[in-house]
Amino acid sequence: MAFISSGYNPEKPMENRITDIGPRHFEEFLPPVIKKNKGTWAYHEILEPGVLLHVADSGDKVYTVRCGAARLMTITHIREICDIADKFCGGHLRFTTRNNIEFMVTTEDEAKALKKELNGRKFSGGSYKFPVGGTGAGVTNIVHTQGWVHCHTPATDASGTVKATMDAVFEEFTSMRLPAPVRIAMACCLNMCGAVHCSDIAILGIHRKPPMIDHEHLDNMCEVPLAVAACPTGAIRPTKTEWQGKQVNTVAVKEERCMFCGNCYTMCPSMPLSDKEGDGIAIMVGGKISNRITRPAFSKVVVPFIPNEPPRWPTMTKVITQILDAYSKGARKYERLGDWANRIGWERFFEVCGLEFSHHLIDDFRDPAYYTWRQTTQFKF
Amino acid sequence: MAVVEFKGKKFEVDEDGFLQRFDDWNPEWVEYVKESEGIKELTDNHQKVIEFLQDYYKKNGIAPMVRILSKVTGFKLKEIYELFPSGPGKGACKMAGLPKPTGCV
């Protein structure tokens, strides 16, 4: 398409430049019933999966219908969301912290009609456009990252693995029959953008091979001391090497010290490490961020490696449903996945989930690793 | 990689317009880049920042942290942005011929 100016003048880039205005104030977009009753809510209840009711001191009611979203979406899709909001909600809507969409109405009949409308809309491939659910003790949306869509350090894909997982656990999105909410999160490398380190079940992209080193370009592309300092295990050192008859500054990687985190590639483009067969997924479980009953907890690695199997990742989804089934059978009401595993003991967790325990799962990172070993005689055979 | 020509000099650059090799830097490079970085006239202050970045890079192998740049040159971050509208990384480091900043930028 031919160039169409927005009015910006590249000859005078600083002229008429507006900066530091921040985001719009949220009050501009509040539905009238929310604005009126802000700060005076009395109680709430979940009427059915995906439908919430909040009642204010004034007696005003607001019904919220929550529906799933793929997070990565087109403007066409956003416009369809706006059309629905125009038709049912006076043009108002909101997105949740897990990237679900919430539509708010003021009567139960409207909420019912809205739920029916949302569940009726499908893509041409057959997927629900706006499946209603994500409330209470179920599985809600998966917090995830960029993957092969946009990032340069991923070890797996985000949108693909998430779609495969949500398809496998879709029943749990539209129902509330688990002991407690199960948060699933996904990150495509161990930068862990998002919530994998604190989720009930976490999908994490990992590498299994050390970086390749582009000696020819490294000194020009990279600030060598930064690459050295990026390594958590001190596996990288600066060195000189011969390249096509010339002495060049570069780095050397002690491969037996490298655990394939990829931090050096983040700092230095000449140290790529992604690998089709080497890369895959680790599964972590048992994290949470709420303070309810027990403290917040990190998730722990329970499956060290599952190969990448695009486009559906069948082994990964099988492991996740295995864990979810064992948890839903074994846990008590209100018990989060980590609380359950801690109560029954991790040796029992591996047994009931049918997972293999390997030496990869034993912490060996610096002094704190010691505290993760068992310094007691209390265990189950 | 693209090669640009300016006043008879050739520069190999990446897609963001950073020099591929620090050794290829020469004063013409600054002349060439300044326009795309929103700089009309090069002043002594610009020169001072560029020279410090180059000295620091030659000595330490890295670009200085912003606070070091400010402390040594005496320019507050605000003043650095007034000199280089794209900021110390995309503006000043590019003009000085340093490698492209990396990490989660």
Side-chain angles (χ1 to χ4, degrees):
Chain A
M1 196 166 68
F3 175 72
I4 299 170
S5 172
S6 63
Y8 167 76
N9 180 3
E11 299 297 318
K12 294 178 177 168
M14 302 304 275
E15 194 179 79
N16 298 326
R17 179 168 173 263
I18 300 165
T19 66
D20 300 320
I21 54 170
R24 298 281 293 270
H25 195 277
F26 62 87
E27 284 214 349
E28 292 174 48
F29 308 101
L30 293 183
V33 60
I34 304 283
K35 199 166 201 166
K36 182 182 163 215
N37 296 292
K38 191 168 153 246
T40 64
W41 299 103
Y43 67 92
H44 75 274
E45 48 191 283
I46 303 174
L47 300 178
E48 54 187 279
V51 183
L52 304 149
L53 162 66
H54 287 78
V55 181
D57 291 336
S58 65
D60 285 356
K61 291 176 176 174
V62 59
Y63 294 83
T64 305
V65 182
R66 181 179 297 168
C67 61
R71 195 181 78 106
L72 194 70
M73 53 177 71
T74 62
I75 293 179
T76 310
H77 194 67
I78 293 170
R79 287 198 172 129
E80 187 168 341
I81 296 167
C82 293
D83 288 342
I84 294 167
D86 282 339
K87 197 167 153 197
F88 289 88
C89 317
H92 296 281
L93 69 102
R94 69 182 289 268
F95 285 82
T96 70
T97 54
R98 297 191 80 86
N99 309 107
N100 289 307
I101 310 162
E102 286 185 352
F103 297 98
M104 282 149 287
V105 291
T106 48
T107 68
E108 189 163 2
D109 289 345
E110 284 175 301
K112 289 268 157 65
L114 183 52
K115 182 172 178 177
K116 200 163 159 246
E117 169 81 21
L118 290 168
N119 277 333
R121 296 195 181 217
K122 288 187 174 184
F123 288 104
S124 56
S127 298
Y128 288 101
K129 276 184 175 171
F130 307 105
V132 174
T135 53
V139 174
T140 181
N141 214 349
I142 299 180
V143 167
H144 67 280
T145 56
Q146 301 194 6
W148 297 331
V149 170
H150 195 74
C151 191
H152 72 297
T153 64
T156 186
D157 188 35
S159 300
T161 52
V162 164
K163 167 70 172 154
T165 307
M166 280 313 283
D167 281 349
V169 302
F170 185 70
E171 297 283 297
E172 308 301 337
F173 182 80
T174 54
S175 63
M176 306 188 291
R177 59 191 182 187
L178 296 175
V182 171
R183 304 289 188 229
I184 307 180
M186 194 281 152
C188 46
C189 82
L190 39 64
N191 271 359
M192 296 193 179
C193 300
V196 289
H197 64 296
C198 56
S199 293
D200 294 285
I201 300 177
I203 307 163
L204 180 67
I206 55 157
H207 303 284
R208 290 186 305 166
K209 294 184 182 179
M212 295 165 279
I213 303 173
D214 178 3
H215 294 297
E216 184 183 358
H217 297 110
L218 191 135
D219 192 34
N220 291 311
M221 308 284 287
C222 309
E223 299 164 64
V224 172
L226 296 189
V228 172
C231 185
T233 57
I236 303 175
R237 64 182 167 81
T239 184
K240 286 187 195 302
T241 193
E242 195 89 354
W243 180 261
Q244 293 182 339
K246 272 195 300 186
Q247 276 259 311
V248 290
N249 294 328
T250 183
V251 297
V253 176
K254 202 179 253 185
E255 301 203 344
E256 67 274 20
R257 284 192 76 87
C258 178
M259 57 178 183
F260 332 120
C261 69
N263 272 354
C264 51
Y265 177 59
T266 301
M267 298 314 294
C268 172
S270 300
M271 301 178 75
L273 79 164
S274 75
D275 181 272
K276 191 178 172 200
E277 276 75 33
D279 294 356
I281 283 165
I283 300 285
M284 300 156 73
V285 305
K288 72 188 199 70
I289 46 176
S290 83
N291 254 313
R292 195 192 59 179
I293 307 173
T294 54
R295 288 185 259 191
F298 284 128
S299 41
K300 296 177 199 288
V301 184
V302 294
V303 181
F305 182 76
I306 297 168
N308 274 330
E309 298 165 319
R312 298 297 298 175
W313 280 269
T315 313
M316 177 198 73
T317 54
K318 187 168 155 276
V319 168
I320 290 171
T321 47
Q322 241 169 275
I323 295 171
L324 204 56
D325 286 347
Y327 160 72
S328 92
K329 279 198 197 86
R332 295 174 184 162
K333 196 164 168 53
Y334 303 125
E335 217 167 33
R336 294 287 292 263
L337 203 150
D339 299 338
W340 165 65
N342 281 330
R343 173 171 61 80
I344 64 173
W346 286 88
E347 63 269 38
R348 194 65 90 226
F349 170 87
F350 280 90
E351 196 178 304
V352 295
C353 292
L355 300 177
E356 192 193 338
F357 187 94
S358 66
H359 70 277
H360 302 286
L361 306 177
I362 302 169
D363 195 347
D364 57 358
F365 189 66
R366 304 198 176 174
D367 294 358
Y370 177 77
Y371 299 102
T372 67
W373 305 339
R374 185 160 303 187
Q375 289 139 53
T376 168
T377 54
Q378 298 192 1
F379 69 94
K380 300 183 187 99
F381 279 103
Chain B
M1 288 296 158
V3 177
V4 296
E5 256 195 88
F6 183 76
K7 290 192 176 167
K9 297 267 164 56
K10 282 189 180 171
F11 302 102
E12 205 177 319
V13 297
D14 65 10
E15 69 279 9
D16 293 312
F18 277 81
L19 266 188
Q20 288 291 87
R21 274 180 300 278
F22 179 66
D23 299 336
D24 288 354
W25 185 91
N26 56 45
E28 281 78 17
W29 171 250
V30 180
E31 286 290 319
Y32 169 73
V33 174
K34 69 173 190 185
E35 197 168 332
S36 66
E37 291 307 318
I39 297 164
K40 275 271 164 284
E41 215 54 56
L42 279 173
T43 63
D44 289 349
N45 289 347
H46 288 108
Q47 217 61 49
K48 187 173 165 190
V49 172
I50 290 172
E51 269 167 31
F52 170 66
L53 288 174
Q54 294 187 328
D55 287 348
Y56 194 94
Y57 181 68
K58 281 180 206 156
K59 198 185 286 176
N60 300 297
I62 58 173
M65 279 173 276
V66 170
R67 292 172 64 130
I68 295 174
L69 177 64
S70 282
K71 196 167 180 178
V72 176
T73 59
F75 298 129
K76 294 188 179 116
L77 188 58
K78 189 168 176 291
E79 293 167 313
I80 291 172
Y81 270 90
E82 281 161 7
L83 293 170
F84 301 94
S86 314
K90 211 181 147 286
C93 282
K94 186 198 275 187
M95 291 183 87
L98 269 54
K100 184 159 62 187
T102 54
C104 299
V105 289

